[in-house]
Amino acid sequence: MQAPEPDRSVPAPAPPRGLSPAAVVPPWWHASLRELSPAYFGLVMATGIVSLASDMMGHPLLARILFALNAVQYLVLWLAYLWRAGRFPRRFFGDMIDHARGPGYFTLVAATGILASQFILLRGDLTVGFALWVLAVVLWVGLTYTIFTAFTVKKEKPSLDRSINGGWLLAVVATQALAVSSALLAAHSGPPYRLELNLVALSMWLWGGMLYIWMMSLIFYRYSFFALSPGDLLPPTWITMGAMAISTLAGSLLILNAPQAPYLESMLPFLKGFTVFYWATGTWWIPMLLLLGVWRYGFQRFPFRYDPLYWGAIFPLGMYAACTWQMNHVMGFGFLDFLPYTFLYAAWLGWLLTFAAMVRRLLRRACGRADLS
């Protein structure tokens, strides 16, 4: 006889003698684990890119402190995800095929790719960087074809305005994170794999751009032709800019790698043109997103309250700083020098405030006062 799954409704065990059923309360972490956001690896994405951008712009000590913290966060979140999958399998895998929550799992791919980039650039550790890159490829293949196949064959599907949001573009970010880590591995590796890794980076870069066009068309249509409430403007809306920022970073790295791969050198005008195209598109979104934020929090009085989805807003700030610095370097746009530093400072402030709010929330829940947050 098959045992019920751990999260299936079963009769509650009898309370210890002398205690009423109402006195048996699950530990504080029980509900938190069950409701753990599929997009929580956004914490690793945000910390990783702020670390890398800090190193680019002359803050190596801060970069390495954030790198060490990020490695710990990555391991802790892996344990939490695996624990949730074992304890609440229905909820864990049900979220994966949910139109609104499923794309959040792509943060796992992007976080793995960004951590691989940290190992390559900050420690010069190609062995761990390559292992994480392989893991990111496996996760990308598994999640891409699981999530989008499920979305395609589901009999009951939500309406467009109830399902799609900026979080869907995490699939683009995950793809471009593979492009970035592949390009970095290619730059730091010798023959015979340099050409192959550059081809993987180029293919992912192109596919990520195509995926952005498909998804952004639907998102723009949803925002323009359906009623929008403040609650609909989730923090991952900033991924509309962040997806283009990481695409710019990947394109800049491909331009740097062109001397190593003849086929990249023959495509240099195309690579440069599309890199600027990605950057210009991401830049266009920044004033729009700021205006929408003023409408949400200023005019509609939407409350500020910690949500793990806010990491999806910190990541684009750090990525825009990194991509602009790298593009400015490879293109020789000296007049853009002020932009990377401006966004790096904004990313530092946003990361610090969000991290403090996360710690405060965890401490409140541990003390049994989550209802006061």
Side-chain angles (χ1 to χ4, degrees):
M1 181 176 179
Q2 187 177 3
E5 291 184 11
D7 62 335
R8 185 175 298 168
S9 297
V10 294
R17 184 172 297 177
L19 292 177
S20 64
V24 181
V25 179
W28 67 270
W29 50 261
H30 190 272
S32 298
L33 184 66
R34 179 181 174 84
E35 302 302 323
L36 184 67
S37 170
Y40 224 125
F41 269 90
L43 166 63
V44 177
M45 293 166 55
T47 306
I49 194 56
V50 171
S51 169
L52 290 170
S54 298
D55 187 65
M56 288 177 184
M57 288 171 244
H59 303 279
L61 178 60
L62 177 60
R64 280 153 181 76
I65 291 172
L66 290 175
F67 170 48
L69 174 63
N70 212 28
V72 173
Q73 291 174 159
Y74 184 78
L75 291 174
V76 169
L77 283 172
W78 255 115
L79 291 174
Y81 270 49
L82 292 174
W83 193 4
R84 184 177 187 243
R87 184 70 181 84
F88 305 107
R90 275 187 163 183
R91 190 60 183 268
F92 182 87
F93 294 105
D95 283 347
M96 196 173 292
I97 60 173
D98 181 88
H99 276 69
R101 291 171 64 85
Y105 280 105
F106 282 109
T107 59
L108 179 53
V109 183
T112 304
I114 289 171
L115 188 62
S117 300
Q118 285 185 280
F119 270 96
I120 295 167
L121 292 175
L122 300 181
R123 287 197 57 183
D125 193 332
L126 293 182
T127 302
V128 176
F130 180 75
L132 287 169
W133 177 82
V134 171
L135 177 59
V137 170
V138 172
L139 290 169
W140 182 86
V141 172
L143 288 172
T144 295
Y145 292 103
T146 296
I147 291 172
F148 291 118
T149 300
F151 287 177
T152 302
V153 302
K154 282 175 70 173
K155 291 183 179 179
E156 297 182 5
K157 303 181 184 182
S159 60
L160 184 67
D161 61 318
R162 294 293 93 195
S163 56
I164 198 166
N165 56 61
W168 274 54
L169 293 170
L170 287 166
V172 177
V173 173
T175 303
Q176 298 292 14
L178 278 179
V180 168
S181 53
S182 300
L184 289 173
L185 279 173
H188 291 80
S189 303
Y193 301 114
R194 180 179 291 169
L195 291 177
E196 290 86 343
L197 286 167
N198 274 315
L199 181 59
V200 172
L202 175 64
S203 301
M204 287 294 181
W205 183 66
L206 294 172
W207 165 236
M210 189 70 251
L211 190 59
Y212 183 88
I213 293 171
W214 287 354
M215 290 184 173
M216 196 64 245
S217 300
L218 293 173
I219 294 169
F220 201 85
Y221 174 73
R222 184 262 179 271
Y223 286 170
S224 300
F225 293 97
F226 291 88
L228 197 66
S229 70
D232 292 329
L233 283 175
L234 299 171
T237 301
W238 276 83
I239 297 295
T240 53
M241 181 271 278
M244 287 287 88
I246 193 171
S247 301
T248 303
L249 179 61
S252 300
L253 293 175
L254 286 169
I255 294 168
L256 284 175
N257 286 2
Q260 305 172 359
Y263 56 85
L264 289 181
E265 200 157 23
S266 67
M267 299 173 63
L268 266 178
F270 172 81
L271 293 174
K272 290 182 177 181
F274 257 74
T275 297
V276 176
F277 166 71
Y278 288 149
W279 180 82
T281 304
T283 303
W284 180 89
W285 272 107
I286 295 172
M288 185 70 177
L289 292 166
L290 290 173
L291 289 172
L292 290 174
V294 170
W295 175 78
R296 187 189 200 218
Y297 296 107
F299 290 93
Q300 299 297 319
R301 305 293 184 183
F302 195 84
F304 272 107
R305 185 173 297 170
Y306 174 74
D307 189 307
L309 295 180
Y310 275 107
W311 292 113
I314 305 305
F315 166 79
L317 295 175
M319 184 54 74
Y320 189 82
C323 82
T324 305
W325 187 91
Q326 194 66 263
M327 185 190 70
N328 194 40
H329 173 66
V330 301
M331 298 285 197
F333 294 156
F335 52 86
L336 291 179
D337 285 345
F338 72 98
L339 264 182
Y341 294 94
T342 301
F343 276 84
L344 177 63
Y345 301 148
W348 282 351
L349 178 61
W351 185 92
L352 188 61
L353 292 175
T354 308
F355 190 83
M358 180 186 71
V359 172
R360 179 173 176 269
R361 169 65 64 86
L362 290 174
L363 290 176
R364 279 179 170 268
R365 288 192 171 182
C367 296
R369 292 183 290 147
D371 58 324
L372 298 179
S373 61

